[in-house]
Amino acid sequence: MIPESLPFPELTPGRRFDTATAGGFLFRGGRVLLEKRSVRALLSPGLWDTPGGKLQEDEAPEEALCRELREELGIQVLRFRLGTAADEEVPREEGPPLLCRHFEYIVLEWKGEPKPLEGQELSWIPIEQAGNLKEVNPLTARALDI
């Protein structure tokens, strides 16, 4: 079952973010597809998360979603809707924290079978268990607390 909506936390008003990401929740048969991020990733290293990635310069979040899922999973996104968005401050060794804005979409329809094209681990996880995974991105866990 695809949820109608996901929790939508308040975004940081009036602040300019340093980077933005777009990711997609894919649901099938009561399960959600999550990928294990590389331990070398800047954001959420080693955690289960939605497939997706950073927006390129002048790229809309919707364009990034389609591009990232094509590159990472080999699928063509046909229909989607915005599920949630959140801001996150990522500490840096030097200087102020990096402010990231994350756009998470519910992918309603896609063409192709998701495959790990970038060497990542993929798993279809029962929705009721996904938010409770030990090593899950807290933003993803909060969105899946449905």
Side-chain angles (χ1 to χ4, degrees):
M1 178 176 140
I2 298 173
E4 284 299 313
S5 64
L6 299 171
F8 210 107
E10 186 175 314
L11 298 176
T12 308
R15 275 186 78 184
R16 184 173 170 183
F17 49 90
D18 301 305
T19 189
T21 67
F25 286 99
L26 281 72
F27 296 96
R28 176 190 286 162
R31 296 177 182 267
V32 61
L33 182 67
L34 296 179
E35 71 176 22
K36 186 92 175 231
R37 295 187 47 81
S38 165
V39 294
R40 296 181 305 276
L42 173 65
L43 303 174
S44 306
L47 300 180
W48 287 98
D49 203 353
T50 56
K54 291 183 187 176
L55 276 64
Q56 296 176 351
E57 190 174 335
D58 296 326
E59 185 176 42
E62 297 83 2
E63 294 170 318
L65 170 73
C66 295
R67 176 186 53 76
E68 285 286 347
L69 297 189
R70 184 179 59 251
E71 292 172 359
E72 290 187 10
L73 305 177
I75 64 170
Q76 178 184 3
V77 175
L78 301 174
R79 287 188 323 118
F80 57 88
R81 70 172 178 261
L82 182 62
T84 188
D87 288 344
E88 174 185 25
E89 287 189 5
V90 180
R92 296 192 252 195
E93 288 185 22
E94 295 181 21
L98 184 71
L99 181 61
C100 301
R101 179 156 291 169
H102 303 286
F103 297 93
E104 293 292 342
Y105 293 87
I106 297 172
V107 180
L108 301 167
E109 184 180 356
W110 67 88
K111 183 177 178 182
E113 184 60 31
K115 300 178 284 298
L117 298 180
E118 296 183 344
Q120 74 275 41
E121 183 180 348
L122 296 177
S123 185
W124 287 98
I125 299 171
I127 296 170
E128 64 277 0
Q129 295 174 13
N132 297 321
L133 289 173
K134 183 178 179 183
E135 298 176 323
V136 68
N137 177 334
L139 298 173
T140 300
R142 187 173 30 183
L144 289 170
D145 188 21
I146 52 177

